[in-house]
Amino acid sequence: MKRKKRILSGMRPTGPLHLGNYAGALENWIRLQNDYKSYHMVADWHMLTTDLEHTDRVREDSIRVVTDWLSCGLDCRKSPLFIQSHVKEHAELHLLFSMLVSTARLQRNPTVKEQARDLGLEANMSYGHLGYPVLQAADILLYKADAVPVGEDQAPHVEITREISRRFNYLFAPVFPEPETLLTPFARMPGLDGRKMSKSLDNAVYLSDSPETIQEKLMTAYTDPKKIRLKDPGNPDGCVIFAYHKKFDPKTAPQAECDCRKGSLGCVAHKKAIAAVIADFLAPVRERHRYYESHRDEVLDIIQDGDKRARDTAEATMKEVREAIHMG
Ligand code: TRP
C-alpha cells in the first residue's frame, strides 16, 4: 500500500493565537489533515532565537498554543500535536545537518536577513539564530515530510531543507524525501491598523476574544480615511473591514463593496456587521476553548500522547541516519 503523504507543520509559541495565525496557517492545516498524515509541532526551541529573556513563559505559551489548535479543530486523534523540545532527536539531527550547509548559504537567506534588519542584529546575530533554518530542516526531515505548509516568508527555509536533504542522501544514503512547499493561500491578514496582524504590534483580534471585545476592537479599525460622513463614497481597497469581510463572509462582500463606493454603506454600520460575523464565526472556537481551559489535564495528556507518537517516528528516522553515517 502506498503510504499517505506526510506533512510537518510548525508554529512558534508566541502567546494566544489571533485571526492572522488562523488565516495564515491553522485554517490550511485543518483542511490538510484529512489528506495527509500530519505532525503539528510547537516550535519552542525556535523561540530562543529572539526571546532568550522570556523563557519563563515558553512552557505556558506552548500549552496555550495547543489549546488554541484544539479549539480551532485540529484533531489530535488524526495528527500528533507535540512540543519540539520534548523530542530530543531534533537537536541531534540539527547538529549533523549543521555540517551540510555553508555559513555563506545561511547568510544569503532573505527571511533571516530581514529579521536581522528589523531587530537591528546585523552585526551580532547569534550562531543559533543564523542557523534556525537548519533546525527547521531537522524538524521537517525527522518526520520525512513530503510537504510543508508555510507562508511565503518561510519558503526559503524549505528550500534549504531540500538542499540539505539532497546533500545527505548523496553523501550517505537515501534516507530523506525532498519536501515541497505548500504555500498558504490567504497569507496576509491585516491587523486593526492595516499593518500585518501581530501580537507585538497590538493590532490583533484573538481567537478567544468575546463578541464585545471584537466589536470594540473593530470600531478602532482602519478604514478609508477620506470617507468621513456616512454618505461619502468610500474606497474599499486597503480598508481593514473589507479584508475581514472578504475572508469571513465572501458572498456578501461584492454587494457591500458596491454600497461603500456609492456612499450608501457607513463605516460604523459595516464595522458592527463584520464584528458580528467574526463573533459568530468564532463562537464554536470560543466554546471549545472554554472547555479545554477548564480541562487542562486533558490538554496535557494530548501533548504527552503527541510527544510519544512524534518520538516514535523521530527515533526510527534517527536509527537510519546513525546507520548511514556510521555513528551513534
Ligand atoms: N520558523 C517557523 C516560523 O517562524 C516555525 C517553524 C519551526 C516551522 N519549525 C518549522 C514551520 C517546521 C514549518 C516547519 O513560523
Side-chain angles (χ1 to χ4, degrees):
M1 202 179 78
K2 237 179 104 194
R3 91 170 158 94
K4 213 171 183 183
K5 285 203 168 191
R6 285 192 196 168
I7 276 181
L8 180 287
S9 57
M11 198 181 272
R12 293 160 50 114
T14 47
L17 300 189
H18 51 63
L19 289 177
N21 302 122
Y22 177 79
L26 260 184
E27 186 182 29
N28 206 23
W29 298 7
I30 292 164
R31 207 161 35 81
L32 295 166
Q33 67 180 345
N34 294 321
D35 300 333
Y36 289 84
K37 167 134 190 61
S38 306
Y39 291 82
H40 300 297
M41 181 190 78
V42 181
D44 60 344
W45 271 336
H46 284 256
M47 287 297 282
L48 298 174
T49 56
T50 52
D51 287 68
L52 257 191
E53 61 286 358
H54 301 127
T55 55
D56 54 328
R57 287 211 302 257
V58 175
R59 185 174 286 141
E60 234 7 84
D61 280 348
S62 299
I63 297 168
R64 171 88 207 223
V65 166
V66 174
T67 307
D68 280 344
W69 286 354
L70 291 164
S71 311
C72 282
L74 273 191
D75 186 343
C76 59
R77 283 161 307 184
K78 286 192 192 131
S79 325
L81 315 180
F82 71 100
I83 296 179
Q84 181 189 33
S85 68
H86 297 179
V87 184
K88 310 298 179 201
E89 282 76 7
H90 290 253
E92 183 180 357
L93 192 57
H94 169 237
L95 174 103
L96 298 174
F97 282 177
S98 71
M99 309 296 166
L100 302 183
V101 60
S102 73
T103 48
R105 175 68 183 90
L106 295 175
Q107 271 150 354
R108 277 202 306 276
N109 184 305
T111 300
V112 176
K113 270 202 214 158
E114 194 180 303
Q115 267 179 1
R117 214 177 318 116
D118 291 352
L119 301 169
L121 287 175
E122 284 108 328
N124 53 4
M125 176 175 268
S126 74
Y127 159 65
H129 194 162
L130 177 68
Y132 91 81
V134 184
L135 178 57
Q136 190 154 337
D139 299 339
I140 295 166
L141 293 175
L142 208 38
Y143 302 92
K144 298 193 179 182
D146 303 288
V148 193
V150 285
E152 225 163 323
D153 63 316
Q154 298 290 310
H157 307 344
V158 184
E159 195 47 47
I160 287 182
T161 303
R162 295 159 59 84
E163 289 170 23
I164 289 176
S165 164
R166 278 200 293 273
R167 193 150 160 72
F168 185 98
N169 290 348
Y170 169 76
L171 287 173
F172 302 110
V175 173
F176 297 114
E178 260 186 61
E180 56 171 316
T181 308
L182 292 179
L183 271 192
T184 312
F186 193 95
R188 290 245 158 169
M189 166 80 83
L192 296 161
D193 56 2
R195 292 183 291 173
K196 186 178 177 194
M197 189 177 285
S198 126
K199 183 176 167 236
S200 53
L201 294 174
D202 196 22
N203 63 3
V205 176
Y206 293 99
L207 299 177
S208 49
D209 277 347
S210 69
E212 297 74 35
T213 306
I214 295 171
Q215 172 152 339
E216 259 169 51
K217 284 186 174 175
L218 257 63
M219 283 300 157
T220 70
Y222 178 86
T223 54
D224 176 4
K226 295 212 189 82
K227 181 168 163 67
I228 295 158
R229 274 173 292 266
L230 194 159
K231 294 250 154 40
D232 291 346
N235 178 8
D237 305 334
C239 166
V240 166
I241 299 295
F242 266 104
Y244 299 166
H245 196 154
K246 277 192 231 151
K247 173 71 201 163
F248 294 104
D249 192 11
K251 274 208 229 68
T252 64
Q255 182 62 47
E257 201 162 334
C258 191
D259 293 344
C260 171
R261 287 190 198 279
K262 273 194 319 220
S264 60
L265 173 62
C267 292
V268 172
H270 196 203
K271 284 174 169 174
K272 279 195 181 144
I274 298 309
V277 167
I278 294 177
D280 276 358
F281 170 80
L282 289 178
V285 177
R286 216 167 28 245
E287 193 170 313
R288 282 192 295 262
H289 197 266
R290 221 174 293 130
Y291 172 84
Y292 284 114
E293 275 210 317
S294 56
H295 294 78
R296 184 181 157 90
D297 284 351
E298 215 172 294
V299 178
L300 297 179
D301 284 349
I302 286 169
I303 295 174
Q304 212 171 51
D305 173 64
D307 290 345
K308 181 177 175 325
R309 286 151 74 193
R311 210 175 289 126
D312 285 348
T313 308
E315 275 171 5
T317 304
M318 280 318 293
K319 227 183 230 156
E320 285 183 61
V321 168
R322 292 179 200 125
E323 212 154 281
I325 62 166
H326 313 289
M327 273 192 230

